[in-house]
Amino acid sequence: DPFAGDPPRHPGMRVNSLKPFNAEPPAELLTESFLTPNELFFTRNHLPVPAVDPRSYRLRVEGPGGRALSLSLPELRSRFPKHEVTATLQCAGNRRAEMSRVRPVKGLPWDIGAISTARWGGARLRDVLLHAGFGERRDGEWHVCFEGLDEDVGGAPYGASIPYGRAVSPDADVLLAYEMNGEELPRDHGFPVRVVVPGVVGARSVKWLRRVAVSPAESPSHWQQNDYKGFCPSVDWDTVDYRTAPAIQELPVQSAITQPRPGAAVPPGELAVKGYAWSGGGRRVVRVDVSLDGGRTWRAAELAGERPAPGRAWAWVLWELRAPVAAGAELEIVCKAVDASYNVQPDTVGPIWNLRGVLSNAWHRVRVTVAR
Ligand code: MTE
Ligand code: MO
């Protein structure tokens, strides 16, 4: 069993697949705290968790125009200043289950919990690349490719890439993280070193990082080339051509209701509706609108979160709306967020449906009854 060496996990996680391990925290726990506790942080593994000996661990950095580095863990920690960033990671497949209700899609049936937030600590990727002699700018199209220590049966590692400009930008805060919420990285989240690319789809934040390579081409990995891309609703598995769509990087604006849960019977009186909202690319969430009547009337929710630097809103906001509800009422609670570019969420799933079930960010709807 290639998964026999996987670490123990929190029994409260909602498991979507055991081998490889894929799990999300229950929705009501997700917004209990601004930072997600490490043991409740959603886990998205494509392969078995590699067993890494931190004493022999080396990170290789290479590519044309720079010198090759081989960094031990103590070297990574001591040669580069530790930088801390609070960032939300979201899987491209978050809320896929809602898409499957329109028409079945291929992928793990994530509910609304394939998103979590942590305070990450590590070396800036920028500092490591500049130390290796790579420049602030590069003419033409360049990418920074990442490889994990986890390999498929054919020996191919998990891999992904980001554009060079994001990797070296001092404002993009891309980290080679060795800490998560003040602790060393847990094994499920990439021990001993992972990439954290704030504002970008989780798939690019490569865990168990073994190699960073500057390259004129995107990562050749399956997960960069033939997955994590969006398509027209009419494209099916007979007609899909992965070369025609760009790899997902920054994600669209997103929000969801974590409380109450669908089908709940809530007491009459004052109802507290809670949830999260987040947008990609560092775009701050400026407003969350909530409706209790299926979208006919709306009120703006109270937002709570950190005060981010402009264009660097890497973390979600948690929101809450309190409203009186009458005994016996049937409510359709709806939320939708607006980001700093006034991007909004689509009202229904149908027009954004895609065969892989990614980028599912329609208005979130939760039906509840108010008890008598
Ligand atoms: N890195 C490696 N090496 N292997 C993986 O399977 N999964 C990716 C990314 N990095 C993955 C990886 C995907 S799709 C996501 S959404 C995030 O890790 C999830 O990070 P988490 O498990 O820490 O939440
Ligand atoms: Mo993902």
Side-chain angles (χ1 to χ4, degrees), residues 261 263-267 368-371:
R261 293 300 292 152
V266 301
V368 301
T369 32
V370 185

Side-chain angles (χ1 to χ4, degrees), residues 26-41:
E28 41 283 279
L29 291 185
L30 189 57
T31 48
E32 277 295 286
S33 55
F34 183 71
L35 296 180
T36 315
N38 288 356
E39 63 280 8
L40 292 177
F41 202 100

Side-chain angles (χ1 to χ4, degrees), residues 41-46 89 91 148 150 158 188-189 194 202-203 205-208 228:
F41 202 100
F42 86 95
T43 301
R44 204 295 175 235
N45 294 343
H46 292 81
L89 289 188
C91 184
D150 48 340
Y158 183 87
D188 264 332
H189 300 291
R194 80 174 300 168
S205 288
V206 173
K207 305 192 274 190
W208 313 294
Y228 298 117

Side-chain angles (χ1 to χ4, degrees), residues 267-272 292 299 321-327 329 331 370:
E270 191 184 53
L271 175 67
L292 301 185
R299 282 175 54 189
L321 180 90
R322 291 178 176 272
V325 290
L331 308 178
V370 185

Side-chain angles (χ1 to χ4, degrees), residues 10-284:
H10 191 284
M13 294 292 274
R14 289 197 32 209
V15 176
N16 287 322
S17 123
L18 209 49
K19 297 176 181 186
F21 188 71
N22 287 283
E24 62 190 293
E28 41 283 279
L29 291 185
L30 189 57
T31 48
E32 277 295 286
S33 55
F34 183 71
L35 296 180
T36 315
N38 288 356
E39 63 280 8
L40 292 177
F41 202 100
F42 86 95
T43 301
R44 204 295 175 235
N45 294 343
H46 292 81
L47 299 161
V49 175
V52 185
D53 179 352
R55 288 162 304 183
S56 55
Y57 172 81
R58 290 289 181 286
L59 174 63
R60 282 190 294 138
V61 181
E62 57 203 13
R67 64 200 165 85
L69 303 178
S70 168
L71 297 168
S72 70
L73 207 47
E75 285 167 343
L76 186 68
R77 285 173 173 272
S78 63
R79 283 198 192 160
F80 307 95
K82 186 168 100 180
H83 186 66
E84 287 190 282
V85 179
T86 305
T88 296
L89 289 188
Q90 181 181 216
C91 184
N94 191 30
R95 301 184 58 198
R96 179 181 282 129
E98 290 161 70
M99 216 168 247
S100 277
R101 271 176 237 134
V102 172
R103 244 186 312 150
V105 298
K106 198 155 103 184
L108 297 163
W110 296 107
D111 187 26
I112 61 171
I115 182 168
S116 298
T117 301
R119 181 112 180 125
W120 306 96
R124 287 183 199 253
L125 175 59
R126 165 190 166 81
D127 292 347
V128 173
L129 289 173
L130 296 188
H131 178 78
F134 296 101
E136 296 268 358
R137 305 185 55 82
R138 292 214 141 195
D139 291 333
E141 191 186 327
W142 286 84
H143 303 267
V144 176
C145 303
F146 309 118
E147 279 176 18
L149 285 156
D150 48 340
E151 295 179 345
D152 67 18
V153 284
Y158 183 87
S161 60
I162 60 172
Y164 187 81
R166 182 178 291 276
V168 292
S169 165
D171 296 327
D173 289 317
V174 180
L175 289 188
L176 303 181
Y178 43 74
E179 280 179 15
M180 181 177 183
N181 292 326
E183 294 165 23
E184 72 180 14
L185 277 184
R187 286 191 61 210
D188 264 332
H189 300 291
F191 177 84
V193 178
R194 80 174 300 168
V195 186
V196 173
V197 191
V200 161
V201 67
R204 313 301 168 216
S205 288
V206 173
K207 305 192 274 190
W208 313 294
L209 185 65
R210 74 174 188 195
R211 181 165 178 257
V212 173
V214 173
S215 164
E218 282 184 271
S219 166
S221 158
H222 166 82
W223 293 280
Q224 188 79 20
Q225 302 287 338
N226 296 319
D227 203 353
Y228 298 117
K229 295 183 175 187
F231 292 96
C232 180
S234 63
V235 171
D236 61 25
W237 291 104
D238 295 327
T239 57
V240 67
D241 180 355
Y242 267 94
R243 289 164 307 182
T244 61
I248 300 169
Q249 295 281 347
E250 294 181 359
L251 285 172
V253 60
Q254 176 69 288
S255 69
I257 300 156
T258 55
Q259 191 191 300
R261 293 300 292 152
V266 301
E270 191 184 53
L271 175 67
V273 183
K274 292 187 186 183
Y276 65 76
W278 179 81
S279 190
R283 288 177 288 277
R284 185 166 69 89

